[in-house]
Amino acid sequence: MSTTSSGKSPASSGLEGVVVANTEMSDVDGQIGRLTVRGYDIEELAGRATFEEVTYLLWHGTLPTAEQLAQFGRELASYRQLPDETVAAIELAAKRMGPMDALRFAVASLTADDKDSDDDSREANLTRATMLVARVPVIIANYQRLRSGERPIAPHNDLGVAANYLYGLTGKEPQASEVRGLDTYLVTVADHGMNASTFTARVIGSTASDMVSAVTGAIGALKGPLHGGAPGPALTMIEEIGTPDRAEAWMKDALAKGKRIMGFGHRVYKVRDPRAEVLYQAAVELADETDEREALELAKAVEEAGVKVLQEAKPGRNLNTNVEFYTALLLRELGLSPDLFSPTFGIGRTAGWAAHILEHRAGGRIIRPQSEYVGPRDLHYVPVAER
Ligand code: COA
């Protein structure tokens, strides 16, 4: 293997191809488009398991029994009450911060009522993980209501995570089909190999810092449009295109202006992201109720045009639709505004972030890679007056 002049392995741009951890959480096979979560293909879980079941699976390695699931549901509900510090953070954030900034700001305050902050046992960290999965959706819903000039709604403790999130946004108990659609989404995005935000969470967790800090950092990583920030822009693109016949010309024009087509391309997948199909199917199931059939047909046409135009512009790159493309359609069907798509991604991924932190804390070392210094040496300090 080649080495640099200082004897190190050469840097891999974007850490492409570098394996940074062994994990039992999930595996992404980009050549055939297969996502395995704790032994299950994503198609086995999505549309069948609830978000709570898959969260439990990630944290414990097995699907819960009915009794374990009921107990987990009660634990989650018991954490929905937010500490005063978080309530205050959301009130401030709703005045002039965007949703991802608000989420990061409010989640950072969640250590406030951690009475055993020095306890780093798996049990204590599982409690923190449960607290985070329970509260992230409450934070987003309360923020959304406040910025719309409405009062937050007290959590409905008979409802699961997906249903209570929709209830918290609207004050209305959602239809079973809507809950199923959101559960499908949350399950589909719960974990996905060593993506950028999960890596961020693992790095922070590896220093033996606390789980709230790790999840706060991960939210910062998720915010970026190259990671979790793409579904809003993907929807804007579909809306701007408007009719199928305009798709190809719109894409070509965007590429000619040096823009990236949101919802396309992936570091690992060289074929269509399997989550795109799962979310497309979930969107189709809801389409009749939500009058979105036409929008889905348009999205299909945009997808086909995008793949074709990208294949011509970037031959050999295999740029296909990723998870974000149909996320946009599904979450719009559920009545979410586009700038809530990324925070809603954060609800699902909190389960995966917490799973990776728990896994790393169970025996992983501090993550501390190296860099290759490529700057000058032997410079001499010149006092400021002489420069
Ligand atoms: N639109 C246009 N060109 C794209 C593209 C897209 N969506 N995705 C990748 N490319 C091009 C790049 O311009 C680059 O071309 P070049 O080598 O001629 O400069 C090539 O394909 C490889 O891109 P690169 O950025 O090196 O790939 P990556 O693995 O580092 O990036 C993504 C992966 C996801 C960041 C990238 O595909 C992207 O920006 N997609 C759009 C944002 C998105 O949908 N993000 C959600 C991801 S789930």
Side-chain angles (χ1 to χ4, degrees), residues 237-238 240-257 261 264 298-313:
M237 171 183 74
I238 296 169
E240 267 181 45
I241 290 173
T243 54
D245 55 303
R246 285 164 40 91
E248 216 172 301
W250 192 100
M251 301 272 180
K252 283 186 177 155
D253 183 53
L255 286 182
K257 289 181 180 142
I261 314 285
F264 289 83
L298 171 62
K300 264 276 172 204
V302 171
E303 175 176 17
E304 274 161 33
V307 171
K308 179 167 175 271
V309 168
L310 284 166
Q311 169 61 19
E312 285 162 10

Side-chain angles (χ1 to χ4, degrees), residues 62-112:
T62 55
L63 285 166
T65 62
E67 200 179 310
Q68 287 165 335
L69 185 60
Q71 171 63 19
F72 186 42
R74 283 192 292 274
E75 282 169 25
L76 283 164
S78 76
Y79 283 108
R80 285 183 183 149
Q81 196 67 38
L82 301 175
D84 292 346
E85 291 80 354
T86 310
V87 171
I90 300 169
E91 278 167 7
L92 284 172
K95 293 196 174 117
R96 58 175 186 167
M97 287 168 91
M100 283 302 274
D101 290 343
L103 180 62
R104 192 195 56 236
F105 181 58
V107 165
S109 70
L110 287 177
T111 47

Side-chain angles (χ1 to χ4, degrees), residues 90 94 118 135 175 181 214 294 320 346 357 371:
I90 300 169
D118 291 336
R135 287 179 176 171
Q175 308 280 337
E294 214 173 295
N320 294 286
I357 298 161
S371 49

Side-chain angles (χ1 to χ4, degrees), residues 315-337:
R317 291 286 191 188
N318 301 314
L319 301 171
N320 294 286
T321 29
N322 58 46
V323 66
E324 309 288 27
F325 193 76
Y326 288 108
T327 289
L329 274 292
L330 179 60
L331 295 188
R332 184 174 70 174
E333 285 179 344
L334 292 170
L336 269 63
S337 65

Side-chain angles (χ1 to χ4, degrees), residues 54 95 111 145 152 157 183 204 229 233 297 316 349 370 386:
V54 171
K95 293 196 174 117
T111 47
R145 295 210 42 104
N157 283 345
D183 262 322
I204 298 174
E297 274 161 31
R349 193 52 63 83
Q370 292 198 43
E386 294 169 31

Side-chain angles (χ1 to χ4, degrees), residues 16 225-228 230 255 259-268 270 273 275 310 314 317 319 322-324 345:
E16 181 157 6
L226 300 188
H227 185 13
L255 286 182
K259 290 188 189 156
R260 289 199 171 208
I261 314 285
M262 290 294 135
F264 289 83
H266 198 273
R267 171 65 62 76
V268 185
K270 300 303 166 210
D273 184 334
R275 298 169 300 173
L310 284 166
K314 308 273 173 188
R317 291 286 191 188
L319 301 171
N322 58 46
V323 66
E324 309 288 27
F345 189 164

